[in-house]
Amino acid sequence: MSYNGGCLIGMRGKNCVAIATDRRFGVQALGLTTEFQKIFPVNDKIWYGLAGLGTDVQTLSEKFTFKTNMYKLNEDREIGVKTFAHLVSSTLYEKRFGPYYAEPIIVGIEKDGRPFICSMDLIGCINFAEDFVVTGTASEQLYGMCEALWEPELEAEDLFETISQAMMSATNRDALSGWGGVVTVITPDKIITRTLKGRSD
């Protein structure tokens, strides 16, 4: 799980959610690029991130794109965030005897406007949360920062500030993640994506 490094946070606010990732992609201690995609859109209400082995991140993202497209064709509607979470869980559990080395975080807005976040382990056990979820090589540092900074009912801008500060502070204390970050905030009417500059040493 730590071969390529990287980490993710999902955070819940007032009628909004945010997902953040660091930008580093490396091979153990060797940093290679800051352009490797770790967070992906499903539609304008759902985003997910994958932390773990880079090849499995790419494989799973393509698999989820295929499955959500098939769902849309069969059902003639967009997939809901809880349905997508169970689709991801069952996809991972299918391979439980030789799992994909990637742990997902899913964030989104439900049909009734409520924010939703969850994380999973590599065989698809879902952890629903009311505050925040973290995964990746800096997860211990992220837990500490999120516990210190997160507050209930944060507005979109405050949620962005909180998740960004948690990401930057935690990744400064982990050698396998960092090099800046990407934050996406999802509200019922818009999606805001911003890139963070961080230390690259």
Side-chain angles (χ1 to χ4, degrees), residues 85-149:
H86 286 99
L87 182 150
V88 170
S89 176
S90 60
T91 303
L92 293 173
Y93 193 68
E94 281 170 5
K95 301 282 188 192
R96 62 193 175 279
F97 300 118
Y100 293 108
Y101 290 101
E103 294 182 336
I105 278 178
I106 297 159
V107 304
I109 305 287
E110 293 186 50
K111 287 185 171 66
D112 60 5
R114 286 184 302 148
F116 172 91
I117 59 169
C118 75
S119 65
M120 288 170 215
D121 64 7
L122 74 175
I123 57 165
C125 177
I126 304 176
N127 165 36
F128 298 107
E130 295 294 316
D131 45 11
F132 54 82
V133 286
V134 304
T135 188
T137 55
S139 59
E140 287 182 14
Q141 293 90 330
L142 286 168
Y143 269 120
M145 286 309 303
C146 291
E147 288 282 2
L149 298 176

Side-chain angles (χ1 to χ4, degrees), residues 11-18 115 130-132 146 148-164 185-187:
M11 204 173 268
R12 183 173 170 155
K14 183 181 181 182
N15 302 323
C16 59
V17 287
E130 295 294 316
D131 45 11
F132 54 82
C146 291
L149 298 176
W150 182 84
E151 295 173 358
E153 301 292 299
L154 288 167
E155 296 291 346
E157 278 304 311
D158 298 326
L159 185 64
F160 164 75
E161 195 64 39
T162 303
I163 201 169
S164 301
V185 180
I186 304 152
T187 67

Side-chain angles (χ1 to χ4, degrees), residues 10 16 32 40 54 82 111 114 152 161 182 191-193:
C16 59
L32 293 178
F40 307 88
K82 277 188 177 168
K111 287 185 171 66
R114 286 184 302 148
E161 195 64 39
V182 180
I191 295 168
I192 308 154
T193 300

Side-chain angles (χ1 to χ4, degrees), residues 49-101:
L50 293 161
L53 189 65
T55 50
D56 285 351
V57 168
Q58 291 178 321
T59 302
L60 282 170
S61 67
E62 288 175 9
K63 213 178 236 308
F64 297 150
T65 301
F66 167 74
K67 288 193 173 192
T68 50
N69 286 344
M70 289 303 294
Y71 180 94
K72 194 173 176 181
L73 281 168
N74 290 328
E75 299 285 329
D76 199 25
R77 62 193 163 104
E78 291 285 352
I79 195 166
V81 65
K82 277 188 177 168
T83 313
F84 179 71
H86 286 99
L87 182 150
V88 170
S89 176
S90 60
T91 303
L92 293 173
Y93 193 68
E94 281 170 5
K95 301 282 188 192
R96 62 193 175 279
F97 300 118
Y100 293 108
Y101 290 101

